[in-house]
Amino acid sequence: MKRGYFITFEGAEGSGKSTQIRNAVAFLKKKGYSVMMLREPGGTRVSERIRRILLDKNLKEMAPVTELLLYLAARAQIVRETILPALKKGKVVVCDRFEDSTRAYQGFGRRIPLAAIQRASKLARGTLKPDLTFVLDIDIAKGLRRGGRHDRIEREALSFHERVRKGFLTLAKKEPRRMIVLDAGKPAAWVSQKVRERLARVFGP
Ligand code: TMP
């Protein structure tokens, strides 16, 4: 049984996710909530090791389906080991990326059919879905300048990142109640304010 609340942050490279997540967590802690902050892929010993493989810039030969299954493997572990137990205890879990990243990067970016992703993805996450998701939308060139192009995914072509960006926006249109799109090209303080306003609707002002 799930009692807590599950929030995810999504968006392209350099969208300022980390700053926004830190601010959101501080806001919720100040209100007295017990908050757990996580990142995907990662957050457990097994998932952090998988992350190293996924982001290794030397592994250029990785097939898209291998990539998909590794992201899902990392998720299967963090869901069972960390997220579900925390939610069961009534915690607010804030996660840097989750399933929407898989749909955007491996679906729209790598062009793996979304129906296939959906089936495999359910195996990893079970019935768990975020209650609320913030999508930080940023101009791709601007984001990559901010974030750098260091790992295997960041080094992908601009056209790949454009598809990912459009992917997030398409997904958000389909689930507008859960997925809140914010213009991350605006100042960080503006974005933080919008995040806080939305959180206040759930957790109180
Ligand atoms: P991060 O750098 O934001 O921590 O994310 C790691 C990279 O992995 C980032 O480029 C997005 C990518 N990614 C996917 O391609 N699919 C996924 O399911 C997840 C969670 C991340």
Side-chain angles (χ1 to χ4, degrees):
M1 224 252 313
K2 168 178 171 290
R3 287 193 293 118
Y5 199 84
F6 185 30
I7 302 169
T8 59
F9 280 75
E10 299 280 4
E13 330 289 334
S15 59
K17 262 189 302 116
S18 320
T19 309
Q20 294 308 330
I21 290 172
R22 272 198 307 276
N23 289 345
V25 167
F27 177 76
L28 292 168
K29 280 191 173 162
K30 219 171 137 194
K31 289 186 171 303
Y33 288 94
S34 174
V35 187
M36 179 178 271
M37 189 170 110
L38 299 167
R39 73 163 175 187
E40 262 234 278
T44 69
R45 278 194 333 153
V46 171
S47 316
E48 287 291 339
R49 285 207 201 167
I50 297 173
R51 178 185 175 94
R52 254 190 271 154
I53 301 174
L54 277 165
L55 299 184
D56 186 339
K57 61 179 188 304
N58 298 313
L59 299 178
K60 291 194 191 78
E61 70 276 29
M62 194 184 295
V65 175
T66 309
E67 180 181 286
L68 167 69
L69 294 173
L70 286 173
Y71 277 111
L72 296 182
R75 180 161 314 133
Q77 187 65 27
I78 195 176
V79 165
R80 286 157 185 81
E81 185 180 330
T82 315
I83 302 179
L84 288 178
L87 292 173
K88 215 169 163 183
K89 284 188 198 140
K91 291 189 188 206
V92 180
V93 176
V94 181
C95 198
D96 184 340
R97 299 191 183 282
F98 197 65
E99 189 184 33
D100 297 311
S101 273
T102 313
R103 299 199 283 165
Y105 282 83
Q106 281 66 53
F108 289 84
R110 299 283 189 224
R111 299 196 165 108
I112 298 175
L114 283 178
I117 293 185
Q118 211 51 34
R119 274 197 304 277
S121 180
K122 271 209 84 183
L123 204 59
R125 67 168 170 86
T127 55
L128 178 66
K129 271 206 93 165
D131 296 295
L132 180 63
T133 297
F134 292 101
V135 177
L136 305 187
D137 182 51
I138 182 92
D139 175 77
I140 292 304
K142 197 170 170 181
L144 287 173
R145 268 200 307 278
R146 265 195 206 165
R149 303 190 77 165
H150 310 296
D151 64 41
R152 201 176 55 83
I153 305 276
E154 283 165 358
R155 286 173 173 231
E156 277 298 328
L158 277 185
S159 55
F160 170 87
H161 291 286
E162 290 290 357
R163 287 201 298 279
V164 170
R165 180 187 188 190
K166 285 208 188 101
F168 277 123
L169 298 176
T170 304
L171 295 172
K173 275 211 186 100
K174 286 194 197 141
E175 289 184 78
R177 285 170 63 86
R178 172 177 70 88
M179 298 178 77
I180 313 299
V181 180
L182 295 171
D183 180 357
K186 295 227 167 95
W190 180 89
V191 181
S192 288
Q193 178 58 28
K194 292 286 164 199
V195 170
R196 279 197 300 271
E197 281 170 14
R198 190 64 185 73
L199 290 176
R201 276 164 57 183
V202 179
F203 298 95

